[in-house]
Amino acid sequence: GHKGERGEKGTRGPSGLEGRVGGAGPSGTKGEKGSSGRKGDSGKVGPQGPNGGTGLKGSKGEVGAKGAKGQQTEALNWKQCVWKREDDKDTGLIQECRFKKIHGNSALHVAYGGNLRVYCPGGICCSRWYFTFDNDECTGSMAIDGIVYKIRTNDNPARHRQIEGYCENISAGEVRVGFN
């Protein structure tokens, strides 16, 4: 026979069971660029980093301008005082030398180089050797002195010693330098 006429729409049937999730679909097209966000707050200061290595050597600088001509100065005021004692004096003022100091704002350099000893059989001994300037010890910085110390020996050691220093605050003029 012939195909019949289409029938009327029937009533809706009950919902079926839920189906399984299907696979991922293809990626979509790239979206438009978004607007910039606001600037964030400053972060905390980080810890001090290690020192860097030695840098490269710089190039040689230009030659500087010639300096002004200096003033003519007086010759150095230098004196050596030496002596050879024939006695056994080893206490009090040993030797005195006179010196002409030209400037009041300069220091006076003194030095002793020679044998010194301390003698006291079997005991503990200590001797101090020092310079004086017009019978007073140096007060311009500190005293210029040396110590010789010996403990419980019967020897009589005369050994080379060096005592030296600079004394300031001494007026210009004649100065009596003593070694005590």
Side-chain angles (χ1 to χ4, degrees):
H2 290 295
K3 186 174 181 186
E5 291 185 32
R6 188 172 189 172
E8 289 185 31
K9 190 173 184 182
T11 61
R12 184 177 174 115
S15 294
L17 297 174
E18 189 170 329
R20 288 186 286 161
V21 175
S27 295
T29 57
K30 184 174 181 179
E32 293 181 27
K33 181 176 179 182
S35 60
S36 296
R38 70 171 184 83
K39 184 176 179 180
D41 296 332
S42 295
K44 294 180 181 178
V45 175
Q48 175 72 31
N51 289 338
T54 302
L56 299 175
K57 183 176 180 178
S59 60
K60 185 174 181 178
E62 297 178 19
V63 175
K66 185 173 182 178
K69 184 175 181 179
Q71 296 178 349
Q72 183 66 29
T73 61
E74 297 179 35
L76 293 176
N77 189 12
W78 187 90
K79 180 178 181 180
Q80 180 178 15
C81 179
V82 296
W83 67 89
K84 182 173 181 177
R85 297 195 68 93
E86 297 296 331
D87 58 25
D88 287 332
K89 185 171 184 177
D90 56 6
T91 60
L93 180 63
I94 305 299
Q95 189 71 32
E96 183 178 85
C97 296
R98 295 180 184 269
F99 182 81
K100 174 85 174 178
K101 189 167 184 286
I102 297 174
H103 300 286
N105 63 349
S106 63
L108 195 57
H109 177 234
V110 292
Y112 171 82
N115 288 337
L116 295 176
R117 69 178 180 157
V118 57
Y119 180 68
C120 59
I124 297 173
C125 301
C126 183
S127 293
R128 178 174 176 256
W129 305 87
Y130 57 96
F131 285 96
T132 55
F133 304 88
D134 293 329
N135 295 323
D136 293 321
E137 289 192 56
C138 181
T139 59
S141 66
M142 60 186 350
I144 303 170
D145 62 0
I147 304 292
V148 178
Y149 179 78
K150 186 176 82 102
I151 185 168
R152 292 185 182 89
T153 61
N154 289 324
D155 60 350
N156 183 6
R159 294 199 174 101
H160 184 84
R161 316 281 182 179
Q162 181 75 25
I163 301 171
E164 70 179 299
Y166 292 88
C167 189
E168 299 173 327
N169 302 331
I170 299 174
S171 301
E174 185 175 271
V175 181
R176 292 184 338 268
V177 179
F179 187 68
N180 299 265

